[in-house]
Amino acid sequence: MGRGKLRIYLGAAPGVGKTYAMLSEAHRRVERGTDCVVAFVEHHGRPRTEVMLHGLEQLRRKELEYRGACFTEMDVDAVLARAPQVALVDELAHTNVPGSRNAKRWQDVAELLAAGIDVISTVNIQHLESLGDVVESITGVRQRETVPDEVVRRADQVELVDMSPQALRRRMAHGNIYQPDKVDAALSNYFRPGNLTALRELALLWVADRVDEYLKQYRSDHRVSTIWGSRERIVVGLTGGPEGRTLIRRAARLAEKGAGGEVLAVYIARSDGLTSASPKELAVQRTLVEDLGGTFHHVIGDDIPAALLAFARGANATQIVLGSSRRKSWQYVFGPGVGATVARDSGPDLDVHIVTHEEAAKGRGLPMARGARLGRSRTLWGWLTGVGGPPLLTLLLTHTAVDLGLANDMLLFLTLTVAAALLGGRYPALASAAVGSMLLNWYFTAPVHHITIADPKNLLALVIFVFVAVAVASVVDLAARRTHQAARLRAESEILSFLAGNVLRGETGLEELLERVRETFGMESAALLERQSDLDPWTCAGRVGTGPAPVRPEDADVDVPVGDHMALALTGRVLPAEDRRVLAAFAAQSAVVLDRQRLQREADQAKELAEGNRIRTALLAAVSHDLRTPLAGIKAAVSSLRSDDVAWSEEDEAELLEGIEEGADRLDHLVGNLLDMSRLQTGTVTPLIREIDLDEVVPMALGGVPEGSVELDVPESLPMVAVDPGLLERSVANLVENAVKYGPGDSAVLVSASDIADRVEVRVVDRGRGVPDEAKERIFEPFQRYGDAPRGAGVGLGLAVARGFAEAMGGTLDAEDTPGGGLTMVLTLRAAGPRPELQEGAASTDRPVEPERQVTP
């Protein structure tokens, strides 16, 4: 049985109609004869959504009891037993009640998909894990029910359910989303036009990115080389010159004119070394383009215009931005230039912008000075000068009445040979020497018009002429080859220095490094293969690019071994041998990055283990003393009561029983803190958030302290807070007990509350000796007892548990100095007010704040 398909309706905010759209799709499928059932759908009292459930088969839900309340969840076993073709599962990001089959509903969906059942689900953009911080900065509400992005990205279909902010607010005003008494508060808080517009943009951009991934994969699978201008992608061609910054800013302005525009800056280093780029300037331009939201790419290509166009078409770019040539007018004899060539060959689907700048036409120096091979145009001119120049010179000299003499004639021919060598290198110069020596012998050496030479001096002169010509040609060719090697090494050093810097700084992951390898050498795919031994099969540690990855290094077009059991494999074309030096460095760095990632994971695991060992060591110390102390007292009192040798009076028995009760309470408190700390360390605390008044919770937290030791000041006019009542009670109780324990006995601890903006502060004030500033954070660490507190005073977990619970509820806990001496604990909580999304009993992940279905295990 194959894996089922997942379809997700993605919404920008609650109430846009995701569930309605899902149920409409279910009715369409049922009409077509598809076996479709409702595994879990909540209508939240919305009449139109409830009507859509009619006519659809609804499976029974699983009932779970927690804290005396009954909750219902999707019954995964019932869905698997029913085995429908399609199951409707609402609220993909929902957190299940403890005791359920899985902790998250998306994990339930994964089981259904693995069983071959197609699933249709819903989720809001604010519940995507990667967007949590962004959504919180927009709305001020932290989403605690999230779903990993990869779960949504792996869906076979993602359909955006869109609605304009104005339409959504009208739907809210008509009572189609919340109850009428909650509408005004919702419209003035979470459902403000600005919030809805920002969330809508997030959803549109996320879906656009996923569509772009589909398009890129489709173009790769079908080998589409033409440009599809689905969105503006602007490629900026950089030369490393100072005009690059102007081009980048110009491209950024062009990208801003279209929604979702991208800027891709590319520097192409010619393998023949024709470059005058400054590494420092390139680094500045890289930083600039990244600051403007673009990306920087470094590519090696023999033909710069062709490489630039190939990169643009590969990136599905729609525009290319180039700068006006820095050449002087006479330098165009060596070719039309990159800009003109790109504009000529770009075709109708790729626009080319030539941007003027201050460096235009100021010159770039002679081609020879740039340190490179001579190039085709110069070689052609060299051959024309070497082969065509001597006959023209002969024609000129033979038709001139003035006889310059053989010596001067030889100097003129030698000048042509030197010119041919400077332009075309060795072989044009040798051809010029050969042609020139024959013409000198035929026309200017006696006897004229004969091959023979009568005068030995003339023979010597011709020999010297040929020798000088060959020497000049050899020197020029050697210089060209040396400058080529120097330029090649310079380009390689720039790439390697940039690569090493990024890797050493830890800025590059394995996939990013492989992508840079693929871009630099213009390959289709790059993969890092490894195996444990010579007999084991190869496995892929990481890959990028299009097309299937090679299974073995031998299957790749280029493979570079890294040690005995690792290799970098590239597909696309065969690279020349001179590229393998740089490629070997990339391969070695890839192995280093892979090892670093694995070492980082191991270090994180070791850190967790070390923390666990520290907790266990402290726990053993606590068990060995702090827990045994109340047990010893209880044991002594019980033994005394059971003794037959002593006749205890009623007062003595009552005192012993009181000691037993106090010891049991203390033991219960210590064990409770240990269990709470264990849950915080393992991350299993999930709060049950709901609206509640502070005056309903705080007084209950004072039951463990002596009567009269606490002064309470909690006004009834305070707004309600969005908290887990149980966690809040435990936090306040620990703070109060700590304050009473370390405060002076003649001064009561003050517990007060006040509201500031959208927060409510609970302050626990004591008049004790206080804590120095450098120790204020340390007192919140587990198993810490400040100063000379006796070991019998506790295991040092009270404040750590209080802060952990506060943060689990989205609040904070900090320590401040009490004016006049002492310590003040400030517990900051979120004010709920009349927000409709916090209505008690709600179970929808459509709510911007966590629903009551979330609970503490």
Side-chain angles (χ1 to χ4, degrees):
M1 179 181 296
R3 181 179 176 83
K5 295 183 178 180
L6 175 61
R7 178 172 183 172
I8 294 178
Y9 286 94
L10 177 68
V16 295
K18 303 180 306 300
T19 304
Y20 191 93
M22 178 180 66
L23 294 174
S24 299
E25 174 64 20
H27 280 286
R28 286 193 292 270
R29 297 198 181 197
V30 170
E31 291 174 359
R32 294 195 300 264
T34 304
D35 183 15
C36 183
V37 302
V38 176
F40 189 97
V41 170
E42 285 283 2
H43 57 76
H44 303 299
R46 299 168 186 169
R48 296 186 178 182
T49 306
E50 185 176 5
V51 169
M52 293 297 295
L53 285 169
H54 298 164
L56 297 176
E57 178 184 352
Q58 301 184 47
L59 299 182
R60 63 175 178 82
R61 300 183 183 182
K62 186 176 183 179
E63 295 185 356
L64 296 170
E65 186 175 346
Y66 183 77
R67 289 186 175 181
C70 185
F71 299 92
T72 61
E73 296 287 0
M74 180 176 69
D75 193 334
V76 179
D77 292 325
V79 180
L80 294 175
R82 172 63 174 76
Q85 289 179 273
V86 180
L88 307 184
V89 182
D90 205 4
E91 302 169 3
L92 186 63
H94 171 72
T95 300
N96 292 330
V97 172
S100 301
R101 186 189 189 97
N102 296 298
K104 292 285 189 176
R105 184 164 293 163
W106 62 264
Q107 295 171 325
D108 296 337
V109 168
E111 286 196 40
L112 302 184
L113 294 173
I117 301 174
D118 294 346
V119 176
I120 305 178
S121 189
T122 63
V123 71
N124 276 336
I125 193 68
Q126 67 261 31
H127 295 295
L128 295 184
E129 198 168 84
S130 65
L131 300 178
D133 294 337
V134 179
V135 173
E136 183 179 13
S137 66
I138 294 172
T139 65
V141 177
R142 182 67 181 182
Q143 299 295 329
R144 297 198 173 273
E145 285 194 324
T146 60
V147 58
D149 289 46
E150 189 60 26
V151 174
V152 183
R153 288 188 180 276
R154 286 200 307 263
D156 299 275
Q157 296 182 59
V158 176
E159 182 173 334
L160 178 65
V161 182
D162 189 27
M163 179 174 290
S164 68
Q166 294 77 12
L168 184 56
R169 285 171 59 84
R170 283 197 301 270
R171 177 180 288 185
M172 170 71 72
H174 293 160
N176 294 330
I177 301 177
Y178 293 143
Q179 298 298 322
D181 58 333
K182 306 292 185 180
V183 168
D184 291 339
L187 291 176
S188 60
N189 288 280
Y190 191 86
F191 287 84
R192 294 193 301 268
N195 288 0
L196 297 179
T197 302
L199 291 174
R200 187 188 189 199
E201 183 178 13
L202 276 180
L204 291 171
L205 290 176
W206 194 94
V207 173
D209 287 340
R210 192 168 189 274
V211 171
D212 192 52
E213 293 174 7
Y214 280 149
L215 179 60
K216 186 181 297 183
Q217 186 64 40
Y218 179 87
R219 283 168 50 85
S220 174
D221 294 342
H222 293 78
R223 299 187 179 277
V224 178
S225 58
T226 58
I227 293 175
W228 291 358
S230 55
R231 62 189 297 186
E232 291 296 336
R233 285 187 179 85
I234 303 173
V235 171
V236 185
L238 301 178
T239 64
E243 76 280 1
R245 306 181 200 181
T246 302
L247 303 184
I248 292 171
R249 294 189 181 96
R250 176 61 173 166
R253 291 196 298 271
L254 289 174
E256 290 174 357
K257 294 180 180 180
E262 290 184 64
V263 175
L264 299 88
V266 57
Y267 168 66
I268 300 177
R270 290 181 59 170
S271 61
D272 60 6
L274 279 176
T275 177
S276 57
S278 165
K280 181 178 179 181
E281 183 64 28
L282 281 178
V284 172
Q285 293 173 13
R286 170 186 285 274
T287 302
L288 176 61
V289 71
E290 291 176 350
D291 289 344
L292 293 174
T295 56
F296 186 93
H297 306 270
H298 195 135
V299 178
I300 290 180
D302 293 329
D303 188 337
I304 289 182
L308 183 60
L309 288 171
F311 178 85
R313 291 193 172 98
N316 199 29
T318 56
Q319 302 180 56
I320 295 179
V321 174
L322 298 173
S324 298
S325 177
R326 286 185 284 143
R327 292 181 173 187
K328 292 184 179 296
S329 300
W330 64 267
Q331 290 178 306
Y332 281 96
V333 299
F334 300 110
V338 174
T341 305
V342 170
R344 181 191 65 202
D345 299 338
S346 61
D349 53 356
L350 189 57
D351 297 334
V352 179
H353 301 266
I354 304 296
V355 179
T356 59
H357 52 84
E358 295 179 353
E359 302 297 323
K362 289 187 176 181
R364 302 178 59 183
L366 289 172
M368 179 177 57
R370 296 199 300 267
R373 285 179 178 171
L374 301 177
R376 288 180 298 179
S377 62
R378 285 188 57 183
T379 303
L380 177 61
W381 279 103
W383 279 105
L384 291 175
T385 304
V387 177
L392 292 176
L393 180 59
T394 300
L395 182 64
L396 178 64
L397 293 176
T398 55
H399 287 76
T400 302
V402 180
D403 185 8
L404 299 178
L406 181 60
N408 291 326
D409 293 337
M410 285 187 175
L411 288 176
L412 291 174
F413 277 93
L414 183 59
T415 302
L416 285 176
T417 302
V418 172
L422 291 175
L423 289 173
R426 177 188 299 175
Y427 297 107
L430 293 177
S432 176
V435 174
S437 62
M438 293 177 62
L439 293 174
L440 281 170
N441 183 23
W442 184 266
Y443 287 102
F444 303 101
T445 307
V448 180
H449 304 307
H450 289 82
I451 298 298
T452 59
I453 301 176
D455 189 350
K457 295 180 180 179
N458 293 339
L459 176 62
L460 178 62
L462 284 175
V463 171
I464 294 175
F465 168 78
V466 173
F467 175 77
V468 171
V470 172
V472 171
S474 299
V475 170
V476 172
D477 183 72
L478 179 62
R481 286 189 285 111
R482 290 290 183 265
T483 52
H484 162 69
Q485 292 172 1
R488 173 77 184 184
L489 292 175
R490 176 185 175 184
E492 291 179 0
S493 65
E494 290 176 6
I495 295 174
L496 293 178
S497 62
F498 173 76
L499 170 67
N502 275 14
V503 172
L504 290 175
R505 291 191 299 268
E507 298 175 356
T508 303
L510 180 59
E511 284 71 22
E512 290 82 357
L513 184 59
L514 292 177
E515 180 64 25
R516 186 162 297 280
V517 174
R518 189 190 68 81
E519 288 181 351
T520 298
F521 295 98
M523 307 299 285
E524 292 182 359
S525 67
L528 186 64
L529 306 178
E530 64 174 348
R531 60 181 177 180
Q532 298 298 322
S533 67
D534 294 337
L535 301 178
D536 293 328
W538 290 93
T539 59
C540 183
R543 70 173 299 270
V544 295
T546 59
V551 179
R552 302 175 303 168
E554 307 88 72
D555 301 333
D557 295 317
V558 180
D559 68 282
V560 179
V562 186
D564 296 331
H565 303 123
M566 189 176 292
L568 179 64
L570 296 94
T571 59
R573 62 188 177 94
V574 178
L575 294 177
E578 60 185 0
D579 286 338
R580 286 185 172 268
R581 180 168 56 245
V582 179
L583 194 57
F586 271 107
Q589 294 288 17
S590 299
V592 170
V593 171
L594 180 62
D595 289 340
R596 188 184 66 212
Q597 289 180 349
R598 290 174 174 172
L599 288 174
Q600 184 61 46
R601 286 195 294 266
E602 293 176 1
D604 294 339
Q605 295 174 358
K607 184 178 180 180
E608 293 178 0
L609 292 175
E611 180 66 18
N613 287 333
R614 189 180 72 84
I615 295 295
R616 283 191 288 272
T617 302
L619 178 60
L620 290 175
V623 170
S624 64
H625 187 280
D626 295 286
L627 296 184
R628 292 180 63 184
T629 299
L631 285 175
I634 295 173
K635 174 66 175 176
V638 172
S639 299
S640 299
L641 289 174
R642 296 189 61 187
S643 176
D644 298 332
D645 300 335
V646 181
W648 301 101
S649 64
E650 292 184 1
E651 291 79 3
D652 293 336
E653 288 183 357
E655 184 177 352
L656 290 173
L657 290 174
E658 183 180 357
I660 293 173
E661 184 178 12
E662 290 179 355
D665 291 340
R666 181 179 170 189
L667 185 62
D668 177 70
H669 178 74
L670 292 175
V671 171
N673 274 341
L674 288 171
L675 293 177
D676 291 339
M677 197 68 231
S678 174
R679 289 202 295 270
L680 287 171
Q681 291 290 333
T682 56
T684 57
V685 174
T686 304
L688 170 63
I689 302 296
R690 68 185 183 91
E691 289 182 359
I692 195 168
D693 288 316
L694 279 178
D695 56 7
E696 296 181 24
V697 180
V698 175
M700 300 173 60
L702 309 181
V705 296
E707 187 176 354
S709 61
V710 177
E711 180 182 345
L712 191 60
D713 181 16
V714 180
E716 295 182 359
S717 59
L718 287 176
M720 303 177 75
V721 290
V723 296
D724 181 312
L727 298 186
L728 177 59
E729 180 183 342
R730 294 294 302 277
S731 296
V732 175
N734 283 355
L735 295 177
V736 172
E737 290 175 7
N738 185 79
V740 171
K741 183 188 305 180
Y742 292 101
D746 57 350
S747 177
V749 172
L750 173 63
V751 179
S752 63
S754 59
D755 61 311
I756 301 176
D758 60 344
R759 298 281 172 171
V760 174
E761 288 187 352
V762 178
R763 293 178 171 265
V764 180
V765 184
D766 68 59
R767 294 291 179 178
R769 57 178 178 169
V771 176
D773 292 339
E774 62 271 13
K776 282 187 172 62
E777 283 299 314
R778 196 164 62 249
I779 62 177
F780 292 104
E781 297 178 4
F783 303 104
Q784 294 290 325
R785 279 188 291 259
Y786 177 68
D788 57 353
R791 293 194 59 85
V795 294
L797 287 177
L799 295 182
V801 170
R803 171 173 275 190
F805 283 171
E807 292 177 348
M809 295 182 293
T812 60
L813 177 60
D814 299 292
E816 298 178 356
D817 291 329
T818 301
L823 187 67
T824 298
M825 293 292 177
V826 182
L827 176 61
T828 305
L829 305 170
R830 290 179 300 172
R835 292 176 184 248
E837 58 268 21
L838 293 175
Q839 53 188 314
E840 186 171 350
S844 171
T845 57
D846 282 351
R847 304 300 191 229
V849 179
E850 294 72 36
E852 187 171 354
R853 298 184 60 83
Q854 295 178 309
V855 295
T856 305

